[in-house]
Amino acid sequence: MSVLSELNVGQHGVVMALDLPESVQNHLMHMGFVPSALVTALRRAPAGDPMVYLVDGLEIALRRETARSIRVKIPRTLSRQQEQELLESARQAAQADPVQTDSSQLEAAPVEAIR
């Protein structure tokens, strides 16, 4: 078993448990961090913290300290149903996001700065 903070960008995990104070745990569970939920690491801030995760159609940024307290199981492969759920969550998140990013306006960052 691993913790959420160990996921690399693009990697998936299945939430197993939240080892956090009850108030924080309840807040995260309302956002979709519940046992058996599929979570995907989407992107990391340039300094490495926080990390943005996709869960239940929401993009949520968590600090490393919080992500270390969420236990996940990293599946070797995803079932077809999990893949479909993940794609549907990503589509819903993209449709719900009113901000559209024009990739031509983005600057390329050196690889060293991202890692």
Side-chain angles (χ1 to χ4, degrees):
M1 188 147 348
S2 301
V3 292
L4 191 60
S5 62
E6 294 174 352
L7 291 182
N8 294 316
V9 172
Q11 196 171 17
H12 314 288
V14 177
V15 175
M16 302 304 288
L18 286 78
D19 301 322
L20 292 158
E22 188 174 346
S23 61
V24 177
Q25 187 177 32
N26 288 338
H27 185 69
L28 290 175
M29 289 178 81
H30 282 283
M31 291 190 286
F33 284 93
V34 295
S36 78
L38 182 64
V39 180
T40 304
L42 292 182
R43 59 188 171 276
R44 186 179 307 276
D49 196 28
M51 177 82 138
V52 177
Y53 299 95
L54 176 67
V55 61
D56 198 26
L58 296 174
E59 291 186 12
I60 301 167
L62 295 179
R63 292 184 178 190
R64 186 176 290 124
E65 177 182 337
T66 303
R68 279 187 190 127
S69 299
I70 300 173
R71 287 186 277 148
V72 296
K73 180 179 180 183
I74 301 173
R76 290 180 185 226
T77 59
L78 295 176
S79 70
R80 185 166 299 279
Q81 180 181 354
Q82 287 174 318
E83 286 180 9
Q84 291 301 322
E85 289 172 0
L86 182 63
L87 288 172
E88 183 60 29
S89 292
R91 282 190 204 109
Q92 289 174 357
Q95 290 173 353
D97 186 3
V99 178
Q100 297 296 320
T101 304
D102 180 0
S103 60
S104 65
Q105 296 175 352
L106 300 176
E107 292 182 33
V111 174
E112 298 80 33
I114 295 173
R115 293 182 184 203

